[in-house]
Amino acid sequence: ARVQRSGPDAAAAALEQFAAAAAEPRHPEAFRLLILSEPEYFPALAAPSGYGAQATGAARVFKELLRIGPPLGAHAIVTASGMGALSSVVHPSRDAALFNHRVVQQSNEEESMTLFSSLAATRIMAQTDHFMAAMYVDTLQGVRMAQLFKAYAADHNIHGDQSAEGLAAALGTLYGPGVP
């Protein structure tokens, strides 16, 4: 497993390298994972505005990777603080189908409707006792099959140690010391 971290300046080259590697012949069970966090800080990936506008450069490569990557074993995880940040790289309605799996925390009505055509994401905190609760939706199954879970929880006790050290300790109890 090779990890490559890229800042905004190197994002386009790293993305093209990732896409080229994904297109190479590979072992059938092998896969590649691209993680894009805070997409609003990667101007090379900016989604074109306006109807009919086609993405170019790194933005085109990214969209193609989202479209054709999964059958080739290339998958992407995109994390964003909200729909505004996400819409900096993908159009919220035209490109929504590119993401079959969605995880959100408590959302406002507009974002919930954009993501799920439902107000389900506005009721997460009302349905749980965990202030960091999240909802997972497989869009092929629909929002009615959504699963609520404790996001970012290092300790099952919501008032317990939720720090990085707490997470390391929790993982250590599961996998043995020195693993995390």
Side-chain angles (χ1 to χ4, degrees):
R2 192 180 85 200
V3 175
Q4 181 176 345
R5 291 184 178 96
S6 297
D9 297 335
L15 181 62
E16 294 206 16
Q17 181 182 9
F18 181 87
E24 291 175 3
R26 59 177 175 72
H27 191 271
E29 289 89 32
F31 72 91
R32 289 172 168 67
L33 180 63
L34 171 71
I35 300 173
L36 174 62
S37 182
E38 300 180 6
E40 67 272 26
Y41 295 111
F42 292 87
L45 300 180
S49 59
Y51 289 96
Q54 296 294 317
T56 59
R60 181 192 56 75
V61 171
F62 180 66
K63 289 242 182 114
E64 280 301 305
L65 190 60
L66 292 175
R67 277 189 205 28
I68 65 171
L72 299 173
H75 302 277
I77 296 174
V78 180
T79 65
S81 59
M83 287 304 300
L86 183 61
S87 65
S88 70
V89 293
V90 294
H91 191 278
S93 58
R94 286 189 308 226
D95 300 325
L98 298 174
F99 297 94
N100 289 337
H101 305 277
R102 301 174 191 175
V103 175
V104 297
Q105 289 183 302
Q106 180 72 30
S107 300
N108 64 37
E109 291 177 2
E110 183 180 343
E111 290 184 354
S112 184
M113 290 301 291
T114 300
L115 286 169
F116 304 112
S117 298
S118 162
L119 294 176
T122 66
R123 296 186 289 266
I124 294 171
M125 298 219 15
Q127 296 175 9
T128 65
D129 63 350
H130 195 290
F131 64 95
M132 292 182 280
M135 180 176 73
Y136 162 75
V137 175
D138 178 338
T139 60
L140 300 176
Q141 293 182 351
V143 75
R144 289 188 178 150
M145 299 299 291
Q147 299 292 314
L148 296 171
F149 65 96
K150 295 177 184 177
Y152 309 113
D155 189 314
H156 71 281
N157 174 1
I158 63 172
H159 303 292
D161 185 3
Q162 304 297 343
S163 67
E165 293 79 18
L167 177 60
L171 290 173
T173 63
L174 294 173
Y175 299 106
V179 174

